[in-house]
Structure formats: structure tokens, C-alpha cells
Amino acid sequence: MGNEKVMLIGSGTSPFVFRVEWALKLKGVEYEYVEENLLINKSPLLLKYNPVHKKIPVLVHAGKSISESLVILEYIEETWKQNPILPEDPFERAMARFWAKFVDEKFMEALKQALFLEGEQQEKEVKKAIEAIEILEGELQGKEKFFGGETIGFMDIVLGCVPAWLEVVEEVAGIKLFDSQKFPSFNKWMENFVETPIIKEKLPSRDKLVFYLQKIRQIKLASLTAK
Amino acid sequence: MGNEKVMLIGSGTSPFVFRVEWALKLKGVEYEYVEENLLINKSPLLLKYNPVHKKIPVLVHAGKSISESLVILEYIEETWKQNPILPEDPFERAMARFWAKFVDEKFMEALKQALFLEGEQQEKEVKKAIEAIEILEGELQGKEKFFGGETIGFMDIVLGCVPAWLEVVEEVAGIKLFDSQKFPSFNKWMENFVETPIIKEKLPSRDKLVFYLQKIRQIKLASLTAK
């Protein structure tokens, strides 16, 4: 199974896609990458392989497709067992899954909404995102380099969107979320994360990110005004 | 580890709590059950063991607490390996996780909103819930008794809220979601599910459910009107 062809349908601007790429690279899995242009109609390939949500990332392995980044990460971990990203202990595994879910539901969602809204509604989402950062700061206090210890794991990969994306979201949406003085443990974690060779080699282009986030913010704001 | 004390903080009206109870019973794990009254202030026990979300269910095992029903199910599967609820094959496991996430994000969320809203907003949520049922109907077509075959597994447990709760939500919210003629595969699955001895022995009391859902619908509608 592990030697069958691997294809990833993604976008160079999606933090969810980077999660999958980092995990594949950590495992040393070779894959074909197919870029989906998110600013035009969804491609026939995407519609074929993710008919339910029609969203990236989609991992296609041995002709079978899997979507949802957290589901894909678990699949990668179970299919290619080298360089594990989840700990062995069931309780520690539960904690990694708990915090990953927290990041998606409480942090990423607020970040997305903050990017797509304005005024009071935006302020509400900014508040939610900062509350999530505060909770994660508490969780990171006293940790070694990463969530699970000395090496990058599941939860670091899931939170890995922060270092490159956060600053661009702040710039494009005209908001302030992160303060390195207020969140020193989080800040230290970010530094450790982006200094890791495999991550450093695979981070989004800042220009591309600014261009894309500006574009989708404009589109979303226009559609809200039109309602 | 498997022999340490197990405690579950739950509520006899929460479908998320029943997921955990069914999994524990399928595995033959004995546990102490502590009822959380959802209509009064949160208990010190709940605040102690789930300080982040302050929500049930919470599983406490060997003094350590885990919350979020899907995370708890994975923990139960990894800690007590008898009567597995997830298949062995990584792709099949990914499918179970994908559909579980789908149920929570697309179906349960719409169901909750439909219960808490009125008028046009409610209609929107009803439409979303029916769309989710249609997709699940397609997924269940041609299956044996359950999602994963002849025995109850992860995805059946996750969707297990439907048989008892759906009808009560329809009654309390004054809406129609399910049509056994339109969704014959889903209907057959429901029949198989509630006929399984372990499930049959552990279903919510209809009266209690009607009382509780009426109560929280009143509270939510009042808080929306007050805004």
C-alpha cells in the first residue's frame, strides 16, 4: 500500500494543504502535487475526488481519495509509520486530537471570519481569535520546543498555519491579533516551528498569500454587501 | 491502564454522551456515571475536568480527563481493544472519521440550529439538515446492516443520535426532517441500529427528551428575542 501513487490536490495559499504537505515530507513520502485555482470554478478533478465538500486538500492514494486535513493526517500516520507524528500513549494521542479540534473550531474559524468581515462583527471574531491564542499560550507554557516534546508532531502541524498566515491576515484585514510580549510561549513555539528544516523549505510565498487573501476578502465583502 | 477507574460526566438528554456510553458498553467497560444538570449552573466537577469547553461528555480515566465525543471514542478504541469499533484498514478508518465529521458539522449543527430558531432562519437549517440526510442516504445505499458491515462501528455510534432524537426535535421545533419513504436505506439502518441489544438497553427516555428540548428551545428563543 505504502508504495502506491500519491497525489495531492491543493493550493499554495491554504494552511490546510500545508498541513498535509508537511506530514508527507516528514514521512519522506513522494507525491504528485496538483494546484487547484481557488479563484475560478472548481476543477473536474476536485469535483471527482471530493464530491461531498468540494474542498481542498484532497489526498488520492492508490486511486482512493480522502479529504478533510485532520482525517488525512491520521491516514498518513497509519499508512506510513516512519517518523510518527502522534505519540504512542492513548491519553497523549487524545490530547493531540483535542487541541487540533480546538485550533480548527475556535481559532481557524475566528481567523477566517475576521478576514471576511468588517466593523463590529469583525471585532467579535478578533476577540474570539485572541481568546483562543490565550488558551494555547497557557497550554504551551513549560513545554519543550513543541507541543509533544523535542520534535514536531500532529498538533504542531495543525497549528503550523499561524506563523506565515497570521501576519498576512492581520495586514489584509487591518486587525491586530498577536503580541509576542503577551504570548511569549506561543512566540517561542513559532520560532522553533519555522526554524525546523522541513517547514522552512515549505512555507507559502508571502506575496502570493497577500494577493490571494486580499482577493477573497474583496469577494466576500462584496457578496455580503449585495445581500 | 485498562483497569483504572472510569467516570463519565454526562446528561441523559445529550446524543454526544450516548455515543460514549454505547462505546463503553460495546467494549464491556464498567464506569461510574455522573449526571450533569444542563438547566442549572455548570457543576464544579465539570469545570474542573473540562475547563476549556465546559461541556459534556467528559471521560475521566485514571484521573485524567478527555472531552469531545469523537476524541473520546478514539481514546476508548485505543485503550480497550476488544470489540473494535474502527476497521483495521487505514482507508476504511479514514472514511469512518470523514463521515463522523460530516455528521457533526453538517447534520448535528443544522439540527441544533433548527431547534433553536424560528421562521426563515429555521427553514434554512431544516434545508441543510435534509441535504445532509440525502447525502447519508446515498452513502448507506447498498450497505449491509451498518456503515461498516454486519456490526456496529464508529460511524453508527456517531449517527446513533438520529433514531431517538430526530423525532423529538421535529415535534418540539414543529418541523419535518425525515421521510422513511424518501430515505429507505437510512430508515433500514435506523431499524437495525435500535434493534441492536446494547443500543436498545440504552436509549434516552422520550419524556425526558421532550421536556429538556422544549425547555432549551424556550430559553434560546427568549435570549434571541432579548438581543
Side-chain angles (χ1 to χ4, degrees):
Chain A
M1 265 306 279
N3 297 322
E4 301 261 6
K5 199 182 144 195
V6 179
M7 176 173 76
L8 174 65
I9 310 173
S11 154
T13 57
S14 162
F16 302 101
V17 171
F18 275 79
R19 289 178 180 174
V20 177
E21 295 209 76
W22 290 327
L24 289 170
K25 284 181 187 295
L26 274 169
K27 300 274 186 181
V29 177
E30 299 216 352
Y31 59 96
E32 180 195 345
Y33 176 81
V34 181
E35 177 84 8
E36 174 80 13
N37 185 340
L38 301 178
L39 295 172
I40 58 167
N41 284 344
K42 292 170 196 283
S43 72
L45 196 73
L46 179 63
L47 297 178
K48 175 185 170 190
Y49 282 122
N50 188 3
V52 175
H53 298 303
K54 306 170 186 72
K55 277 185 187 169
I56 51 157
V58 181
L59 188 80
V60 186
H61 182 213
K64 292 174 175 176
S65 60
I66 304 154
S67 51
E68 298 282 345
S69 68
L70 298 186
V71 176
I72 298 174
L73 288 184
E74 298 258 9
Y75 177 80
I76 290 172
E77 176 73 347
E78 291 176 351
T79 303
W80 297 279
K81 299 195 188 297
Q82 63 273 28
N83 303 333
I85 53 173
L86 277 168
E88 268 187 54
D89 175 65
F91 180 75
E92 295 301 325
R93 293 165 75 86
M95 287 305 99
R97 289 180 179 127
F98 172 85
W99 286 110
K101 206 167 182 312
F102 176 87
V103 168
D104 274 3
E105 290 173 8
K106 301 290 170 184
F107 181 65
M108 296 298 279
E109 189 53 32
L111 202 63
K112 195 177 87 180
Q113 296 301 330
L115 178 67
F116 291 163
L117 295 167
E118 283 182 316
E120 244 182 70
Q121 283 179 308
Q122 191 190 48
E123 273 168 40
K124 254 193 208 169
E125 301 299 330
V126 167
K127 209 175 147 239
K128 280 190 207 167
I130 293 174
E131 278 168 8
I133 295 173
E134 273 165 358
I135 290 173
L136 291 165
E137 169 73 18
E139 193 50 29
L140 276 161
Q141 263 167 33
K143 296 252 184 217
E144 292 161 83
K145 286 174 83 173
F146 300 107
F147 269 91
E150 277 296 316
T151 51
I152 281 190
F154 192 82
M155 176 53 189
D156 304 295
I157 289 173
V158 169
L159 196 60
C161 50
V162 176
W165 279 263
L166 195 66
E167 210 187 289
V168 179
V169 171
E170 287 182 328
E171 183 186 320
V172 170
I175 52 175
K176 185 72 194 154
L177 298 164
F178 192 75
D179 179 340
S180 59
Q181 301 281 314
K182 213 174 136 196
F183 306 119
S185 301
F186 203 136
N187 194 52
K188 188 89 202 96
W189 171 84
M190 286 213 278
E191 286 171 10
N192 290 332
F193 186 77
V194 291
E195 277 311 311
T196 307
I198 238 159
I199 306 296
K200 214 174 180 173
E201 287 160 21
K202 185 79 214 168
L203 278 169
S205 135
R206 192 184 147 82
D207 289 353
K208 205 171 162 184
L209 218 53
V210 171
F211 174 81
Y212 175 69
L213 295 190
Q214 275 176 343
K215 204 87 191 164
I216 48 162
R217 179 166 157 84
Q218 281 164 13
I219 295 169
K220 290 281 175 178
L221 287 176
S223 80
L224 285 178
T225 319
K227 262 180 197 166
Chain B
M1 264 308 276
N3 297 322
E4 302 261 5
K5 199 182 143 194
V6 180
M7 177 173 76
L8 174 65
I9 310 174
S11 155
T13 56
S14 162
F16 303 100
V17 170
F18 275 79
R19 289 177 181 175
V20 177
E21 295 208 77
W22 291 326
L24 289 170
K25 283 181 188 296
L26 273 169
K27 300 274 185 179
V29 178
E30 298 217 350
Y31 60 97
E32 180 195 345
Y33 176 80
V34 181
E35 176 84 9
E36 175 79 13
N37 185 339
L38 300 178
L39 295 172
I40 58 167
N41 283 343
K42 291 171 196 283
S43 71
L45 197 73
L46 179 62
L47 297 178
K48 175 185 169 189
Y49 283 121
N50 188 2
V52 176
H53 298 303
K54 306 171 185 75
K55 278 186 187 166
I56 51 158
V58 181
L59 188 80
V60 185
H61 181 213
K64 291 175 177 173
S65 60
I66 304 154
S67 50
E68 298 282 347
S69 68
L70 299 186
V71 176
I72 298 174
L73 289 184
E74 298 257 9
Y75 177 80
I76 290 173
E77 177 74 347
E78 290 177 351
T79 303
W80 297 280
K81 300 196 188 294
Q82 63 273 29
N83 303 334
I85 54 173
L86 277 168
E88 266 187 56
D89 176 67
F91 180 75
E92 295 302 324
R93 293 166 74 86
M95 287 304 100
R97 290 181 179 125
F98 172 85
W99 286 111
K101 206 168 183 311
F102 176 87
V103 168
D104 274 3
E105 289 173 8
K106 301 290 169 185
F107 181 65
M108 296 297 280
E109 189 54 31
L111 202 62
K112 194 177 87 180
Q113 296 302 329
L115 178 67
F116 291 163
L117 295 168
E118 283 182 315
E120 245 182 71
Q121 283 179 309
Q122 190 190 48
E123 274 168 39
K124 254 192 206 171
E125 300 300 329
V126 167
K127 209 175 147 239
K128 280 189 206 168
I130 293 173
E131 277 169 9
I133 295 174
E134 274 165 359
I135 290 174
L136 291 166
E137 169 73 17
E139 193 50 28
L140 276 162
Q141 263 167 33
K143 295 252 181 215
E144 290 161 83
K145 286 175 83 171
F146 300 107
F147 269 92
E150 277 295 317
T151 53
I152 282 189
F154 193 82
M155 177 53 190
D156 304 295
I157 289 172
V158 168
L159 196 60
C161 51
V162 176
W165 278 264
L166 195 66
E167 210 188 289
V168 179
V169 171
E170 287 182 328
E171 183 186 319
V172 171
I175 52 177
K176 186 73 195 153
L177 298 164
F178 192 75
D179 179 341
S180 59
Q181 302 282 314
K182 214 174 135 194
F183 307 118
S185 302
F186 203 136
N187 194 53
K188 188 89 201 98
W189 171 84
M190 287 213 278
E191 286 171 11
N192 291 331
F193 186 77
V194 291
E195 277 310 310
T196 307
I198 236 156
I199 306 296
K200 214 173 181 174
E201 287 160 21
K202 184 80 213 168
L203 279 170
S205 135
R206 193 184 147 83
D207 289 353
K208 206 171 161 184
L209 219 52
V210 171
F211 174 81
Y212 175 68
L213 295 189
Q214 276 177 342
K215 204 85 192 166
I216 49 161
R217 178 165 156 86
Q218 281 165 12
I219 295 170
K220 289 282 175 180
L221 288 177
S223 81
L224 286 177
T225 318
K227 262 178 196 167

